[in-house]
Amino acid sequence: MKHVERLIVFDTTLRDGEQSPGATLNTQEKLEIARQLARLGVDVIEAGFPYASPGDFEAVQLIARELKGVTICGLARTLPQDIDRCAEALQDAERARIHTFIATSDLHMQYKLRKSREDVLASTQEAVTHACNKLRELRGDRFWEVEFSPEDAGRSDEAFLFQVIETAIRAGATTINIPDTVGYTTPSEFGGLIRRIREHVPNIDQAIISVHCHNDLGLAAANSLEAVKNGARQVECTINGIGERAGNCSLEEIVMTLFVRRPYFNPYFGRPAESEEPLTQIKTTEIYRTSRLVSTHTGMLVQPNKAIVGANAFAHESGIHQDGVLKNKRTYEIMDAESIGLAENHLVLGKLSGRNAFRSRLQELGFFLNETDLNRAFLRFKDLADKKKHVTDWDLEAIVNDEARQVLEAYQLLQVQVSCGDQGLPTATVKILVPQGEELVDAAVGTGPVDAVYKAINRMIQLPNELIEFSVQSVTEGIDALGKVTIRLRHGGKTFTGHGANTDIIVASARAYINALNKLHNALSHPEIMTNQEEIAGQKV
Ligand code: KIV
Ligand code: ZN
């Protein structure tokens, strides 16, 4: 196996993560997440599946054009049209990788592909060769590489799997990714598979072994770590563990395990246990911020008890634990909140702070706004600073996310007024600006103030939909906190997410609803950019 001295972190939040039910991201959101992943220090960003839709192609191309110092990867089936489209999207990347895959388990080959083992071997050989030729032709001397995945490797016949891997390496693949596609294996089985691949594939020394574990039995991180102990040197993972069904291996769990338990893992990398050199190049202090950004954009909330990034991950409720932590942190804390960037949520700016201080703090947080967006965000900040004593980083992040999104919107919320209480009928009056530039006002009565607001909006923006999720979170602690509303609605089998932040949760709810309706409106106005997984699924791979 190719020698690598540390673990390569391959992030697939924008590809496999985006396949989570309802986690659809637009191009701008993907670009923002990609920038943050680069800041986090991942080695490879799998930015999408360019053949799947023009929207996916555009996002991969934009990310490939902008981000330097990180490898940008696109997914492709073993079909020439997928590979060509993928290579085209990656053409301008500083470092480009095509990831091509085909299923190798009997179950998948027989029922999904309707292909024989010979067919799959031939497709592997042709696809990897084609991907190498295409990248060579388009990129010449600029860096490129090809990764190959035998899908459902965890349930594939081993002798056949070894043959496919050998074929892919001979054709030019330099990373061989072993997916446990349905999260079926256990740690010792999966570790054993990686060991046997190293023992039985004759040319494995010419490739890096990668693993891609799904979390159907909650074993994705354990399986990946066992694979690392057996020689895997790339782990494919997602922020917050999002992904198909129960999700993928979570990036933060792998990275923090290697960080906290470095002396245990060092010898597996051929180092002395006490070596202090990091095992990944991840900047761990960016983990928490990345987790929040992904959660905000995908609308997938992080469960409170989620390892590393859950709201309770560093909270101590019982008296015995609190007492212990006060006496010596290490009694109940195996890592510091600071190590994932959690405790940096300090007071940053006040009522009297000027635009320059505001701009430079935003830049430190990774937000680079143009003048118009900056002005809008600054007004929101001033407004918040008047109402709220302490304005924190998380407040700034909520304001920017809320403001930046509103600018792109066709429908804009101008005013919302409600009357409610335990007597009388909850009533809302809402004023909006519609795409034609006209201002509309309407009023409605509902079961509660939010229902009344949504009914009034529905009377003006007639886009039928089903509201499937509504949640309110407070951005920081305290009664004066900003409220962050996340909603998801469904239309024609597709899910759209909306967010809004305000100290008034009725206003935040209205903003979130308008935000989701704008995404629905955009999708209906540009049906060609929609991902069509049904079409992909219907084609023979
Ligand atoms: O889970 C899987 O098998 C995949 C492959 C495309 C790598 O996502
Ligand atoms: Zn997957």
Side-chain angles (χ1 to χ4, degrees), residues 150-224:
E151 190 190 5
D152 206 18
R155 292 188 301 171
S156 298
D157 173 76
E158 283 195 8
F160 176 60
L161 180 66
F162 300 158
Q163 245 185 310
V164 175
I165 296 173
E166 187 184 348
T167 304
I169 297 174
R170 207 179 323 112
T174 48
T175 298
I176 295 295
N177 179 46
I178 306 300
D180 181 16
T181 303
V182 288
Y184 180 73
T185 63
T186 65
S188 62
E189 280 174 332
F190 197 63
L193 175 62
I194 302 304
R195 192 188 65 247
R196 289 188 295 281
I197 289 173
R198 290 179 62 196
E199 289 166 355
H200 296 287
V201 176
N203 52 1
I204 199 68
D205 59 322
Q206 294 164 38
I208 290 170
I209 299 180
S210 164
V211 289
H212 176 112
C213 296
H214 278 268
N215 205 29
D216 297 66
L217 294 172
L219 296 173
N223 285 350
S224 304

Side-chain angles (χ1 to χ4, degrees), residues 221-454:
N223 285 350
S224 304
L225 290 167
E226 203 57 30
V228 168
K229 284 165 59 181
N230 283 281
R233 286 295 173 265
Q234 172 177 286
V235 167
E236 302 199 353
C237 44
T238 60
I239 302 296
N240 301 336
I242 64 170
E244 285 272 14
R245 306 180 309 280
N248 287 63
C249 175
S250 128
L251 180 145
E252 57 278 9
E253 291 172 19
I254 292 293
V255 168
M256 291 312 286
T257 303
L258 294 180
F259 180 85
V260 172
R261 301 300 312 278
R262 192 169 45 213
Y264 173 77
F265 283 96
N266 270 337
Y268 294 102
F269 286 79
R271 309 170 176 189
E274 61 281 7
S275 165
E276 295 207 344
E277 209 184 314
L279 286 167
T280 69
Q281 66 164 28
I282 295 294
K283 192 172 170 200
T284 62
T285 49
E286 288 292 327
I287 285 179
Y288 192 63
R289 186 179 311 289
T290 317
S291 161
R292 288 175 71 106
L293 183 71
V294 169
S295 170
T296 301
H297 283 336
T298 57
M300 299 195 60
L301 303 180
V302 176
Q303 75 194 57
N305 60 329
K306 165 81 179 65
I308 320 291
V309 290
N312 294 350
F314 291 91
H316 300 282
E317 194 67 25
S318 91
I320 293 178
H321 286 204
Q322 286 172 353
D323 181 56
V325 168
L326 285 176
K327 288 176 176 147
N328 180 337
K329 255 167 104 159
R330 287 289 170 256
T331 51
Y332 289 100
E333 277 188 10
I334 59 165
M335 60 193 144
D336 300 323
E338 290 82 0
S339 64
I340 64 155
L342 181 58
E344 287 167 7
N345 176 26
H346 39 71
L347 167 68
V348 283
L349 298 169
K351 217 162 133 169
L352 301 175
S353 306
R355 256 167 54 93
N356 281 343
F358 180 69
R359 185 206 308 263
S360 55
R361 185 61 196 151
L362 286 186
Q363 288 180 351
E364 279 163 28
L365 294 174
F367 298 109
F368 295 85
L369 302 189
N370 62 35
E371 280 309 298
T372 322
D373 292 354
L374 184 77
N375 287 342
R376 291 168 63 104
F378 186 61
L379 289 179
R380 285 287 300 278
F381 158 69
K382 281 289 184 188
D383 188 39
L384 182 65
D386 270 343
K387 294 179 186 154
K388 191 172 184 286
K389 215 161 129 202
H390 302 305
V391 179
T392 66
D393 286 351
W394 305 135
D395 292 319
L396 292 186
E397 181 194 79
I399 289 175
V400 172
N401 283 333
D402 192 61
E403 256 336 301
R405 257 192 303 277
Q406 307 298 331
V407 177
L408 305 170
E409 301 194 330
Y411 294 98
Q412 287 181 32
L413 181 71
L414 297 180
Q415 206 178 321
V416 55
Q417 188 77 43
V418 293
S419 134
C420 60
D422 61 354
Q423 308 289 322
L425 295 171
T427 312
T429 307
V430 181
K431 191 198 270 189
I432 59 168
L433 185 68
V434 298
Q436 298 75 21
E438 200 186 338
E439 285 185 10
L440 301 182
V441 186
D442 215 324
V445 169
T447 52
V450 175
D451 185 46
V453 167
Y454 284 20

Side-chain angles (χ1 to χ4, degrees), residues 457-472:
I457 293 173
N458 284 342
R459 290 162 70 110
M460 297 180 280
I461 305 177
Q462 295 188 356
L463 292 173
N465 67 78
E466 184 196 350
L467 185 65
I468 53 173
E469 199 177 305
F470 175 91
S471 72
V472 189

Side-chain angles (χ1 to χ4, degrees), residues 45-50 60 72-76 86 90 97-100:
I45 296 176
E46 189 166 48
F49 184 175
V60 175
I72 308 300
C73 176
L75 185 70
C86 191
L90 296 170
R97 182 186 291 192
I98 289 183
H99 175 192
T100 186

